[in-house]
Every structure is written in structure tokens, then in C-alpha cells.
Amino acid sequence: MLDLRRLHVLREFSVRGTIAATASALGYTPSAVSQQLARLEQETGVALLDRSPKGAELTDAGRLLVTQAEEILALVEATESVLAEQADVALGMVTVTAFPTAAVAFAPLLAPPLRRHEGMQLVLRQTLLSTGPQKVRSREVDIALVDDWSGQHPGRGPDGGLRHIHLLRDPLVLAVPEDHRLADPAEPATLDRLLGESWIVAPQTERSRYGTDRLLAEVGGLPATTWEFEGLGTILSLVSRGIGIAAVPALAMVGSPAGLVCRRLPASAPERHVYAVVRPASLRRPAVQVTLAALREAARQVERELAEVAEVADL
């Protein structure tokens, strides 16, 4: 009989590509991963990995079993969800991963409603990388909060096998120091008048940089006087100290430091959309259901805060 844990290890190896990366993702030692895969080969009676001094890769049989393992693991999770639904009680741990600004905005709004369910536990993790859907698919997390700048529903792309639940739209706004000339609402904040400013932007590796690049593309791109810093929290802290100006998603302004003024950008400015990504098989699990309900309510509260940010920007 095939061991589900070993199928999960094989599936994880197909995603990670190496024994070492698989071990790191699962919290095992490389030797333990190798032993689990070797035992799985004994159970199936076929070679699943082609091993060489340079590493290992899946054989044709290994790739076939990974495909079957996906279906088996999804069926097991769906069965567990149905049984949990019969109990009609939110139990167990729900793990959520989120990009930093979403984690900061949503975390204090999630805790109160979920505390009412004594049998469940919420674990919220932050990640700077756009690996949320991958972590959901590999069952490292139950829900991922992700952002999308394309304007197209991500469920139509490579993550179409996952459920994408729209939470809110997040427009790009201009953050300036409170003593800056652009803090005066009478001063036009048109793009052509911003090129002579000192800009603070995220590096290319961060998704928020995409919004800034798109914003300034129509006026020739970023000006020469540009500073790069990681993290929108760091960028807003520098703006509040008068180091420069920045275009940031409005969500980043929730809980931002003092000394900042927010200005609305032209209607053509890009915006991002925030989604909750979940495996369809887990949707019937009560603990996942109440977490998604709490996320939707939190999103409504956050949208009200963003509307207040927009109103201030218009003053």
C-alpha cells in the first residue's frame, strides 16, 4: 500500500527539484528525504528517481506517480473536509501566508472573530516572494493572500486549478513628506511635475516596483535621482523623514508612520487586486470557511480605510 506521507515527499520533490530543497521545505534532513523516496520505490517496485553524482531527477514512472499523487492527496483532503463539515465545528490549525502590507492590515482584524472558535488556531506568515499559490498547491499553507497587477483574474492563468477569491482593489497613491510642496492640495500632482523629485522605489524583485514602473513609463521612466530600498514600510519611513517621495499601494498607508501626506494619482495610475487563494478541496472544511469569512469582513473594513485615505488625498 502506498504511504501518503511518501507521496507528499515525492510531490514536493517534483516542485523543488532537489533533495536538499525538498528537505528544507518539509523540515526534514536530506538523508530522511532520500530514505522516504527509496522506500516509496520499494513500495511501487519501479525506479522513481534517476540518480547521478550531479543530483536526481524524476523518471517517467516518477512523473506518472506525481500526477496520480496530486489526485490522491486532493481526494484525501476533500474527504477530510467532508468529514470535518459533518462535525460542523471549526477545528485545527489554518495557516495563511500574506505579502507584508496585507499581513499588517489584515492581522488585527482577523484575530477577534477567529478567537471565538476555541478549537482552531490561526498561523499568519509573511512572505516577500510571490510564492503564495505554490505554497497552497503544495499544502504548506491553507490560504494565501496574493496581489495581482495584471487586471486579469488569475484563476485563468497557470494557477487555474486553485480557487481565487477577490477581496479588494488597491490603487496606487503618492506619498510625500508633510512639509513637501506636494503636500499642499493646491499643488497639482501630475506626472510631468514629479520627474524632478527624488524618488524612493522598491527593487525589481518586489512586486510593488511593477506599479511604479508602469506609472512612470508614460513619462519616460524613473528619474535619475532614484533610491532603492526593500520593503514598503522602510520606504514610507524614509518618505516621512523627507528623503524623497514614493508611489505606493494605498494598502501600505494603513498604519503608516506620522509625517506623511497622501495624494491621489491620475486616473490612469495602475492598481492591484488582492485575492485569497485556496485549494478547492479544502473549501468544505469549517475552519477554512470561517477564516475566509473573516478575511472577507476584514477586506470590507480595509476598503473603508482605503476610501478614507482617498478622501484625504482629495482634500
Side-chain angles (χ1 to χ4, degrees), residues 149 169-174 189 191 211-212 214-216 218 247-248 263-272:
W149 291 90
R169 54 178 291 274
D170 187 16
L172 206 65
V173 297
L174 184 69
L191 296 183
T212 306
R214 273 187 56 191
L215 172 70
L216 296 177
E218 59 185 85
V248 300
R263 295 291 309 274
R264 186 187 290 271
L265 287 165
S268 60
E271 64 179 12
R272 66 180 178 179

Side-chain angles (χ1 to χ4, degrees), residues 275-291:
Y275 294 86
V277 182
V278 64
R279 295 181 300 279
S282 70
L283 282 172
R284 296 179 70 174
R285 183 180 160 204
V288 172
Q289 291 176 2
V290 299
T291 303

Side-chain angles (χ1 to χ4, degrees), residues 12-259:
E12 194 66 27
F13 174 81
S14 73
V15 173
R16 307 295 175 179
T18 67
I19 296 292
T22 303
S24 176
L26 296 177
Y28 297 160
T29 63
S31 61
V33 169
S34 294
Q35 290 171 15
Q36 291 293 316
L37 294 175
R39 289 288 300 275
L40 186 58
E41 287 180 314
Q42 293 174 4
E43 291 173 352
T44 59
V46 296
L48 302 174
L49 270 66
D50 184 7
R51 297 171 176 82
S52 71
K54 294 183 178 180
E57 60 182 20
L58 291 170
T59 63
D60 289 343
R63 285 188 285 272
L64 175 62
L65 184 55
V66 167
T67 301
Q68 297 299 314
E70 290 275 11
E71 297 180 9
I72 292 169
L73 293 172
L75 181 59
V76 169
E77 182 175 31
T79 303
E80 292 173 342
S81 296
V82 170
L83 293 174
E85 185 181 34
Q86 295 301 309
D88 197 26
V89 178
L91 298 172
M93 179 186 297
V94 175
T95 303
V96 179
T97 185
F99 54 95
T101 51
V104 170
F106 278 81
L109 302 176
L110 291 177
L114 294 182
R115 278 179 181 163
R116 295 196 292 266
H117 302 276
E118 298 180 356
M120 69 170 289
Q121 176 187 2
L122 174 69
V123 176
L124 179 62
R125 299 171 179 163
Q126 290 189 31
T127 178
L128 286 171
L129 304 176
S130 55
T131 56
Q134 178 182 319
K135 290 180 181 295
V136 172
R137 191 183 298 280
S138 67
R139 297 172 177 81
E140 290 178 65
V141 302
D142 299 297
I143 302 170
L145 299 186
V146 302
D147 59 347
D148 179 80
W149 291 90
S150 70
Q152 300 179 351
H153 195 288
R156 303 187 184 99
D159 296 319
L162 302 175
R163 184 71 61 84
H164 290 71
I165 300 168
H166 187 266
L167 294 178
L168 57 87
R169 54 178 291 274
D170 187 16
L172 206 65
V173 297
L174 184 69
V176 301
E178 61 182 0
D179 59 353
H180 194 280
R181 66 176 181 85
L182 289 169
D184 182 356
E187 184 74 20
T190 55
L191 296 183
D192 59 323
R193 297 173 67 90
L194 301 178
L195 292 180
E197 300 293 330
S198 177
W199 280 78
I200 305 175
V201 300
Q204 292 282 0
T205 53
E206 292 188 19
R207 291 175 64 82
S208 60
R209 172 64 178 270
Y210 179 73
T212 306
D213 286 347
R214 273 187 56 191
L215 172 70
L216 296 177
E218 59 185 85
V219 288
L222 288 169
T225 53
T226 300
W227 301 69
E228 283 192 9
F229 288 90
E230 289 187 346
L232 290 174
T234 300
I235 289 173
L236 289 177
S237 177
L238 293 170
V239 172
S240 71
R241 288 169 168 78
I243 306 300
I245 66 173
V248 300
L251 192 60
M253 299 297 293
V254 177
S256 60

